[in-house]
Amino acid sequence: MITLNVNGTDHKLDVPGDTPLLWALRDTLGLTGTKFGCGMALCGACTVHINGEAVRSCSAPVAGLAGKKIVTIEGLAALAQRDLHPVQEAWIEKDVVQCGYCHSGQIMSAAALLAKIPKPSDADIDAAMTGNICRCGTYQRIRARIH
């Protein structure tokens, strides 16, 4: 048994320690907002926050996560104590999403960046968002909404 704190709630999971966090979230906890993309931590679709850092959940084994605070797209708004996190509001306001598949990971990476650097430069955004792939190419809208 592994106890994970996900979105502010402790969950006891009966999964092998080498289970990627992505699958514990989706298959065991039913939190399907975190998406499977490549399974190799290259695309960013599975990004969550672990202790405030943007992390690719497909490559994070649950064994090393006990005692850490995990936040998924479903729990992001609670961090801001609002119905939607400001990044989610910005995405909706300017209709950033095209197909939408990658955007939970995009939003999680952007929120982690803005928590550290409230007024990021283009270079800050590029560095933080590298590895978040959008097959629809909405990068300019993403950058604009992060600003």
Side-chain angles (χ1 to χ4, degrees), residues 47-124:
T47 303
V48 299
H49 294 175
I50 299 176
N51 289 344
E53 297 291 324
V55 174
R56 307 302 191 240
S57 64
C58 70
S59 63
V62 295
L65 302 176
K68 298 185 178 180
K69 295 194 180 301
I70 301 162
V71 177
T72 68
I73 192 75
E74 292 92 345
L76 188 61
L79 288 177
Q81 300 177 339
R82 301 165 62 154
D83 290 335
L84 290 173
H85 188 277
V87 175
Q88 291 169 310
E89 290 174 350
W91 250 240
I92 292 167
E93 180 184 312
K94 293 297 180 180
D95 201 20
V96 171
V97 176
Q98 194 160 323
C99 87
Y101 195 82
C102 70
H103 284 280
S104 63
Q106 300 276 3
I107 289 168
M108 295 303 287
S109 291
L113 165 65
L114 292 168
K116 290 183 185 135
I117 307 172
K119 295 194 181 289
S121 67
D122 283 349
D124 294 328

